Amino acid sequence: MINQMGQNENTLNQFSNAFKELQLGKLLRKTNITKNCGVPAYEVFQFLLLLVFQGKNLFRFLNSKRRQQAVSKNTYYRFLNDASFNWTRFLLLLAAKVTGVFSTLTRRERVKVLVLDDSVVRRSRSKAVELLARVYDHVEHKYQKGFTLLTLGWSDGYSFVPVGFNLLSSAKKSNCYQEISDKVDRRTNGYKSRKESLMAKPDADLLLIRRALNAGIKADYVLMDTWFTTEPVIKSILAEGLGVIGMVKQLTQRYNYKGMSCTLPELKKYVRFDGVGNIFGSLCVTTKGGIPVKIVFVRNRNKKSECLYLLSTDCSLPDTEIVRIYGNRWSIECFFKASKSFLKLGTEFQSRTYDAMVSHTAIVFTRYTILEWIRRNENDEKTYGELFFMLCEDIQDMDFTNALQSLMALFVEHISTLSADIKACIKSKVTEWMNSQAAFIQALFGNICWES
């Protein structure tokens, strides 16, 4: 079926090789995603996985000229609506295999993180979708009709892999438009996922993290934004043996510093700032519950009169390292954007059952994981055995300052090999450019010597 999906043989071969390397058929069988008769479940899964690359949804594909390449529409919808399939377990096993391989491509001491965030999956025109709820959209600051997609991902600073998700409805019955269908067998995986969708978000967070750790996924910290960085959540994650780095919202919470109970703006008064860079400084404090944390005060680039507050439960980390690690949280935002804009998350199938919503989300997450697997296979250098670790340099993190200084130093080094006239002309142009830049950029090149 893969060979019939398109004209780009190279792309099809890459996907085919990825399916074999990751043993997707074996993972499907392990998680009860099988069929007793008819078209094998593996072929149906392949078709749905690659459907997005045809530029059509299922309805339009089945009504196109390539209709003969597919089977009956009912076959696909029965597959999506099957309540016995354990999609949560399938995605978890796939993520454990992929992250295990990615971890071998970098040094053991490299920081690896779990990233926790949520996004709204809208179903604004729906009325009869199972467990449809009224959920709050923190981006548009208003309520939407749909689901809250709570997602846990893994990142090493170079790759992002979705580990698990919970398609949350609402814990309040008053916000639910539809309830759990009476036709669902309570012994199935589908019913369990329905019950989990009614959990409170903090409880759902912890469940995803525990599942990831039990599956053998290794991480050092959990990265969170302001909504999740609360003391009860921090305490629960610390109990699982992980550190927390998250942004803290300026509310009424207080922290203990040298016997004083202070809010975040009050703590900032005790920070010594040398006037250079966007990091004002940091303080080691304790929360109301007695948890020792480090608060890093960072300038808000979008509004320089405001300050952002980063919290780390690892007080031994330098301020710059806390900021750098927290920067990895942006990978989940890119993941949400790619999943919705390019991989058709929430728009590919219009089924009314909760099982179809879960299976569709798992298929989209699998697409992203396989694309990430192919990207690493193409970009990472290949050698044999220990030669890889001896010759392939570890992926390094370089900030803008070091990158600009290194580039200019290399430029100056090569200028010395040119003739005097060309060298003088280039020096004049570069000096003119440097003088036109901001003061902090000029300061980066103060120690550069033009002489060879």
Side-chain angles (χ1 to χ4, degrees):
M1 182 174 290
I2 294 179
N3 295 330
Q4 300 172 353
M5 291 294 295
Q7 298 177 354
N8 192 335
E9 292 297 331
N10 184 38
T11 302
L12 297 178
N13 289 335
Q14 288 177 328
F15 274 95
S16 180
N17 292 335
F19 292 161
K20 294 176 183 178
E21 292 168 355
L22 295 173
Q23 298 179 321
L24 292 188
K26 186 176 181 180
L27 294 182
L28 291 172
R29 291 190 296 272
K30 275 187 176 181
T31 53
N32 199 39
I33 304 177
T34 58
K35 292 179 61 180
N36 294 327
C37 59
V39 182
Y42 182 57
E43 290 189 13
V44 178
F45 177 73
Q46 283 183 331
F47 177 86
L48 295 175
L49 195 70
L50 298 174
L51 180 62
V52 70
F53 304 104
Q54 305 304 310
K56 297 181 178 67
N57 58 23
L58 182 59
F59 173 80
R60 293 190 179 276
F61 186 87
L62 293 177
N63 287 278
S64 65
K65 295 180 181 179
R66 304 177 64 184
R67 170 70 179 83
Q68 65 276 8
Q69 299 178 8
V71 294
S72 171
K73 176 184 69 174
N74 294 334
T75 300
Y76 299 117
Y77 276 101
R78 280 197 299 266
F79 181 84
L80 293 171
N81 293 326
D82 198 313
S84 64
F85 296 169
N86 195 343
W87 289 107
T88 301
R89 182 65 178 167
F90 169 79
L91 189 64
L92 197 60
L93 293 177
L94 177 61
K97 179 171 289 189
V98 172
T99 56
V101 175
F102 286 174
S103 295
T104 62
L105 302 179
T106 55
R107 297 175 301 186
R108 292 182 179 179
E109 59 270 22
R110 183 177 178 83
V111 175
K112 302 172 183 63
V113 296
L114 292 174
V115 188
L116 188 65
D117 202 0
D118 60 0
S119 181
V120 173
V121 177
R122 301 178 189 174
R123 294 297 296 267
S124 55
R125 297 184 179 181
S126 301
K127 294 182 180 179
V129 176
E130 188 178 6
L131 288 174
L132 186 70
R134 182 172 173 265
V135 296
Y136 187 74
D137 190 342
H138 293 275
V139 177
E140 299 189 1
H141 303 287
K142 65 180 182 180
Y143 282 92
Q144 303 280 2
K145 189 186 293 185
F147 299 88
T148 300
L149 179 60
L150 180 64
T151 304
L152 182 70
W154 176 95
S155 176
D156 61 354
Y158 186 61
S159 295
F160 179 85
V161 179
V163 172
F165 69 91
N166 191 337
L167 204 59
L168 293 173
S169 176
S170 177
K172 296 182 179 179
K173 288 187 177 181
S174 58
N175 288 335
C176 294
Y177 295 103
Q178 298 292 335
E179 297 182 354
I180 299 176
S181 173
D182 297 332
K183 300 178 181 180
V184 182
D185 190 339
R186 298 196 175 192
R187 299 169 296 180
T188 60
N189 293 308
Y191 184 78
K192 294 177 183 177
S193 64
R194 286 169 169 82
K195 296 297 290 184
E196 291 174 4
S197 72
L198 300 176
M199 296 174 64
K201 195 179 291 185
D203 297 331
D205 300 342
L206 189 58
L207 180 62
L208 290 176
I209 294 173
R210 283 175 176 170
R211 284 176 174 172
L213 296 178
N214 292 336
I217 297 175
K218 305 296 183 182
D220 303 297
Y221 304 99
V222 178
L223 308 184
M224 305 180 294
D225 64 3
T226 55
W227 198 97
F228 298 94
T229 311
T230 60
E231 187 168 4
V233 174
I234 293 172
K235 187 175 181 181
S236 300
I237 295 175
L238 289 174
E240 299 298 324
L242 295 174
V244 174
I245 297 178
M247 187 174 291
V248 185
K249 197 170 185 179
Q250 180 181 328
L251 298 173
T252 58
Q253 75 273 24
R254 291 180 173 270
Y255 300 88
N256 298 320
Y257 177 68
K258 293 184 177 180
M260 300 178 291
S261 179
C262 305
T263 62
L264 290 171
E266 291 172 348
L267 286 175
K268 186 183 175 183
K269 299 177 182 178
Y270 299 99
V271 177
R272 296 181 180 179
F273 179 49
D274 56 8
V276 180
N278 291 322
I279 300 178
F280 296 115
S282 64
L283 293 175
C284 290
V285 298
T286 57
T287 63
K288 184 178 179 180
I291 302 175
V293 297
K294 188 175 189 179
I295 304 291
V296 181
F297 301 84
V298 184
R299 189 192 308 276
N300 187 348
R301 293 184 300 177
N302 299 323
K303 193 173 182 180
K304 294 186 177 181
S305 60
E306 295 183 354
C307 181
L308 302 177
Y309 310 97
L310 295 183
L311 178 149
S312 172
T313 56
D314 188 350
C315 299
S316 63
L317 286 176
D319 298 351
T320 54
E321 183 68 3
I322 292 174
V323 174
R324 185 195 69 81
I325 294 175
Y326 184 77
N328 292 334
R329 200 198 70 82
W330 185 249
S331 59
I332 198 170
E333 301 291 353
C334 297
F335 164 73
F336 284 139
K337 177 65 176 179
S339 298
K340 291 182 178 181
S341 300
F342 305 112
L343 302 182
K344 307 299 182 185
L345 177 63
T347 60
E348 191 171 24
F349 306 108
Q350 298 299 323
S351 180
R352 297 180 179 180
T353 68
Y354 186 77
D355 293 311
M357 295 288 296
V358 171
S359 56
H360 161 62
T361 305
I363 289 172
V364 172
F365 281 27
T366 304
R367 287 172 184 161
Y368 190 93
T369 303
I370 292 177
L371 289 173
E372 195 73 1
W373 175 271
I374 293 174
R375 182 177 72 90
R376 289 297 293 264
N377 281 341
E378 287 184 345
N379 295 343
D380 289 340
E381 298 183 36
K382 280 81 176 176
T383 56
Y384 293 95
E386 292 298 321
L387 289 176
F388 177 88
F389 299 97
M390 295 172 60
L391 301 179
C392 181
E393 293 183 356
D394 185 20
I395 304 167
Q396 297 295 326
D397 294 294
M398 182 178 290
D399 56 22
F400 173 76
T401 300
N402 293 331
L404 196 56
Q405 286 179 334
S406 299
L407 183 62
M408 184 58 73
L410 181 64
F411 177 69
V412 170
E413 179 183 349
H414 285 281
I415 281 182
S416 61
T417 62
L418 303 176
S419 62
D421 294 339
I422 298 177
K423 181 178 178 180
C425 180
I426 294 177
K427 282 178 58 179
S428 175
K429 294 295 184 182
V430 173
T431 303
E432 182 180 345
W433 172 81
M434 289 171 57
N435 292 334
S436 67
Q437 301 303 307
F440 77 95
I441 294 182
Q442 295 182 27
L444 300 177
F445 307 130
N447 57 349
I448 289 181
C449 179
W450 289 96
E451 303 299 330
S452 58

